[in-house]
Amino acid sequence: MPFQRAFHWLFAQDAIIAAVVFGLVVLVLTGSLLLSRRRRRRGQGPSNRTEANKLEISYVAALLGVAVFLMITSVIANSQDFPDPPEPALRVQVIAYQWCWRFHYEGQPVTVTGQCEGGPLPVLVLPVGRPVELDVTSTDVVHAFWVPHLRVKMNAYPGHTNSLTVTLSHAGRWIGRCAQLCGLYHYEMDFYVQAESPAAFGRFLRARGGTPAGVAR
Ligand SMILES: [Cu+2]
């Protein structure tokens, strides 16, 4: 998923800019304090200068430059967020509800859920290397499907389906959360995404009465 890399770099870039701006602010503040102390020691009063147009214009120009740069790089990263998706090998309905998740493998008699309050958490099992379309919806209020490590996030609206296609590059298990405050037990709406080899995924489907044609090959 190239957008993972795009967002990784965007975050790194923004963090560096924020650190530099913070450093400059601390530097200017410390410099001003030292200068004013020196003036006081020399018996000079505070400066009564009311304008510093050159400095102010430079400040505005620098701010504008940084803002435009951040905007352009964000737009570029966002344009990579939802590239034309490949034809999915599998579609999974991701259904959010107060306060847990249900995953239905479309065309299969397979629905997975779990117990968000106290566990075991629901596990979304997916095959490695196969494009999977996630059709995200909700049965009650607005939730958000979020897998921080995979940089995957999609709002879940009642009466509407948002789709995104993911292709997981390697086997693993990652925590997922609800990223939209949705009520009292919002904080418990955790789940796992578990990527398995296509063969293991085929076994997972077969064990639940499904047929892994087209996925487990
Ligand atoms: Cu929530």
Side-chain angles (χ1 to χ4, degrees):
M1 283 183 279
F3 67 81
Q4 284 179 335
R5 223 167 308 137
F7 279 100
H8 178 79
W9 284 113
L10 188 66
F11 179 78
Q13 168 209 288
D14 290 4
I16 291 168
I17 291 175
V20 169
V21 169
F22 179 74
L24 281 175
V25 168
V26 170
L27 209 70
V28 170
L29 191 66
T30 315
S32 314
L33 287 173
L34 291 176
L35 266 179
S36 94
R37 256 177 74 158
R38 202 167 72 177
R39 289 179 76 99
R40 220 177 308 136
R41 259 202 234 118
R42 287 180 179 171
Q44 294 167 318
S47 166
N48 54 9
R49 195 169 157 184
T50 55
E51 281 185 355
N53 286 339
K54 261 189 201 161
L55 191 68
E56 285 167 22
I57 289 169
S58 317
Y59 177 67
V60 170
L63 270 189
L64 208 66
V66 172
V68 168
F69 177 73
L70 288 178
M71 214 169 75
I72 289 172
T73 50
S74 301
V75 167
I76 291 171
N78 272 316
S79 71
Q80 295 179 40
D81 197 355
F82 298 109
D84 283 343
E87 187 58 32
L90 172 76
R91 288 188 171 85
V92 182
Q93 285 174 8
V94 173
I95 303 146
Y97 58 94
Q98 283 176 318
W99 285 276
C100 207
W101 301 88
R102 199 161 53 236
F103 307 119
H104 173 65
Y105 294 77
E106 286 179 35
Q108 306 278 346
V110 183
T111 302
V112 173
T113 189
Q115 191 68 42
C116 286
E117 191 184 353
L121 296 177
V123 182
L124 173 59
V125 180
L126 298 176
V128 168
R130 301 284 190 272
V132 179
E133 185 182 291
L134 301 174
D135 298 325
V136 183
T137 188
S138 161
T139 60
D140 37 48
V141 299
V142 181
H143 302 269
F145 174 87
W146 182 35
V147 189
H149 184 84
L150 300 177
R151 309 279 198 270
V152 167
K153 196 180 193 183
M154 183 58 87
N155 277 5
Y157 298 110
H160 177 83
T161 300
N162 277 334
S163 299
L164 80 157
T165 301
V166 296
T167 308
L168 300 174
S169 58
H170 59 280
R173 190 174 161 104
W174 304 278
I175 189 79
R177 303 188 190 285
C178 177
Q180 178 67 48
L181 182 61
C182 58
L184 192 57
Y185 296 105
H186 157 69
Y187 68 95
E188 288 192 325
M189 279 187 66
D190 294 347
F191 59 94
Y192 284 109
V193 171
Q194 186 168 311
E196 295 188 352
S197 70
F201 178 75
R203 285 196 294 278
F204 159 83
L205 278 189
R206 263 195 298 270
R208 285 158 184 79
T211 40
V215 181
R217 251 178 279 139

